[in-house]
Amino acid sequence: MTTSQSLQWEPSGRLLSVEVTPHPAGVLVRLHGSATMEQCDELTARLADAAQGRPSLMVLDMGDLDFICSLGLGSIVAVYLRAMKHGGRVVVSRPARAIREMLELTRLSHLLTVYDTTEAALAGRA
């Protein structure tokens, strides 16, 4: 008996907005709207800019992100690999249920620690 999992959701139509804020623990990146294929170049560039100072911790706050395409997930993997190369960490906070499921289905939740709150992510506690 096989079980198939189907995860379907659509972008909200809200344009992607990326807000980068320095924090004593590292850098906080708040993602808002939908990260569609058309906006992944912006996401990639903004994540690369945020990682340029080699922060010890980058928190990706996904609490207001309602969609992310596969290219967007690739951008996150790229910034994760860059951070690991320099001894840093990239974690996720507050993902919506659909995005959390996407992280689990793609096994990115094995690479990226997922926190329920941004405060816990910045403090490094579950």
Side-chain angles (χ1 to χ4, degrees):
M1 176 179 199
T2 61
T3 303
S4 66
Q5 294 182 332
S6 176
L7 178 62
Q8 298 176 355
W9 87 100
E10 297 293 323
S12 68
R14 291 188 308 147
L15 292 178
L16 176 68
S17 171
V18 180
E19 178 185 335
V20 179
T21 307
H23 187 276
V27 66
L28 174 60
V29 180
R30 290 187 173 100
L31 305 174
H32 308 276
S34 296
T36 62
M37 293 178 81
E38 293 82 13
Q39 292 146 347
C40 280
D41 287 342
E42 177 186 351
L43 177 60
T44 300
R46 295 298 306 271
L47 290 176
D49 287 346
Q52 198 165 21
R54 296 184 182 176
S56 59
L57 174 66
M58 180 183 293
V59 175
L60 304 177
D61 181 344
M62 296 185 173
D64 195 34
L65 185 69
D66 48 50
F67 179 85
I68 188 165
C69 68
S70 59
L71 290 175
L73 293 175
S75 297
I76 291 171
V77 170
V79 79
Y80 166 84
L81 292 172
R82 183 175 182 177
M84 291 297 292
K85 187 176 184 178
H86 302 291
R89 295 185 312 129
V90 176
V91 301
V92 171
S93 71
R94 304 184 325 121
R97 186 178 67 85
I99 291 178
R100 185 183 290 265
E101 289 175 5
M102 178 65 74
L103 293 171
E104 291 169 1
L105 285 173
T106 59
R107 298 196 177 274
L108 289 179
S109 59
H110 293 270
L111 293 178
L112 306 165
T113 303
V114 178
Y115 292 90
D116 291 332
T117 69
T118 300
E119 294 77 17
L122 287 166
R125 62 179 191 276

